Amino acid sequence: MINTAIIVAAGTGKRFGGSQPKQLIELLGKPLIIHTIERFDSCPAIDEIVLVVAEDRIEEIRTLIVEHPFAKVRSVVPGGATRAESVRNGLNEIDEKTAWIVAVHDGARPLVTVDEISRTVENASLHGAACLVADVTDTIKEVDHGFITKTVPRANLRRAQTPQAFQYGILRKAFDGSALGEGVTDECFLVEHLGIRIFCVEGNSRNIKITRPEDLKLAEMYLASEE
């Protein structure tokens, strides 16, 4: 049975700014997306990788893949109008006859570790669904019309990260039975609506999603410290 990583990098990066998508921004000498792919390509728990990118960037990404000797990148497919539609396009590339675990990851998270990927896949295999999470360190306030109404206890709160991993049949059912609009911000959202419990895999605060220019500086610092 095959474990597949769907790496989603089809966004336009409007919040990041600049003339090209953030996944192609150079990070310590190579495009950000290459750093992300490297993590999954070197992870023993992953057998194949499906990349989902903007349709007008497919050839550019394929050229990058040729330039880097990845062993597990099987296909590059176009994204959809929303993140969820992009994930569905990647899911449609997977052979249901051999599929076991599907791990969905944001292409703009290049700092995920091989250990975090492996533990998330392992727990999805055991429990059906697993999500990498990180602690909430700030005090959280509930707000109504600009005023704080209460403080939310944070002991049971976690920040959802990626990868989020699922047995193929569960994820397929979640996508086939749901509308995939902008409100679907991650895969757990869909799986939760099936009534399936999702195991939390403890990650760390370094697994940031590159969204703004200042995030890139932080990622550079973290990557430099790893090297």
Side-chain angles (χ1 to χ4, degrees), residues 206 220-227:
R206 285 193 171 204
E220 287 176 344
M221 182 185 72
Y222 284 150
L223 283 171
S225 69
E226 288 181 7
E227 293 177 1

Side-chain angles (χ1 to χ4, degrees), residues 8 11-18 20-25 27 32 36 83 106-111 159-162 185 206-220:
V8 187
T12 58
K14 290 180 181 178
R15 283 177 292 178
F16 191 88
Q20 61 180 336
K22 62 187 174 184
Q23 54 266 29
L24 295 175
I25 295 292
L27 179 60
L32 188 157
T36 305
R83 183 189 187 280
D106 297 319
R109 289 186 188 269
L111 290 156
R159 291 183 290 119
Q161 300 181 328
T162 65
T185 55
R206 285 193 171 204
N207 184 20
I208 61 173
K209 184 177 181 181
I210 309 299
T211 305
R212 297 176 175 85
E214 55 266 32
D215 299 328
L216 192 64
K217 297 294 184 183
L218 186 58
E220 287 176 344

Side-chain angles (χ1 to χ4, degrees), residues 79-227:
T82 64
R83 183 189 187 280
E85 288 182 9
S86 293
V87 175
R88 182 179 59 188
N89 289 355
L91 192 60
N92 289 341
E93 281 291 300
I94 298 174
D95 185 351
E96 64 179 8
K97 299 182 183 66
T98 57
W100 176 227
I101 300 299
V102 179
V104 182
H105 187 70
D106 297 319
R109 289 186 188 269
L111 290 156
V112 67
T113 67
V114 168
D115 176 68
E116 288 170 336
I117 299 167
S118 296
R119 287 189 290 113
T120 306
V121 169
E122 178 184 1
N123 280 287
S125 182
L126 290 172
H127 303 288
C131 179
L132 192 66
V133 300
D135 289 339
V136 174
T137 55
D138 294 323
T139 298
I140 304 299
K141 303 293 186 181
E142 186 174 291
V143 176
D144 183 33
H145 292 89
F147 290 89
I148 292 173
T149 56
K150 68 177 180 180
T151 298
V152 181
R154 68 187 182 199
N156 293 327
L157 297 179
R158 295 293 185 272
R159 291 183 290 119
Q161 300 181 328
T162 65
Q164 298 178 8
F166 312 88
Q167 292 174 13
Y168 173 84
I170 290 174
L171 193 59
R172 182 82 267 178
K173 182 178 180 181
F175 271 84
D176 287 348
S178 304
L180 304 180
E182 293 288 353
V184 180
T185 55
D186 69 356
E187 294 64 57
C188 285
F189 178 89
L190 296 176
V191 173
E192 289 164 27
H193 282 74
L194 296 179
I196 292 173
R197 300 178 71 192
I198 302 168
F199 187 84
C200 287
V201 179
E202 295 295 333
N204 68 80
S205 59
R206 285 193 171 204
N207 184 20
I208 61 173
K209 184 177 181 181
I210 309 299
T211 305
R212 297 176 175 85
E214 55 266 32
D215 299 328
L216 192 64
K217 297 294 184 183
L218 186 58
E220 287 176 344
M221 182 185 72
Y222 284 150
L223 283 171
S225 69
E226 288 181 7
E227 293 177 1

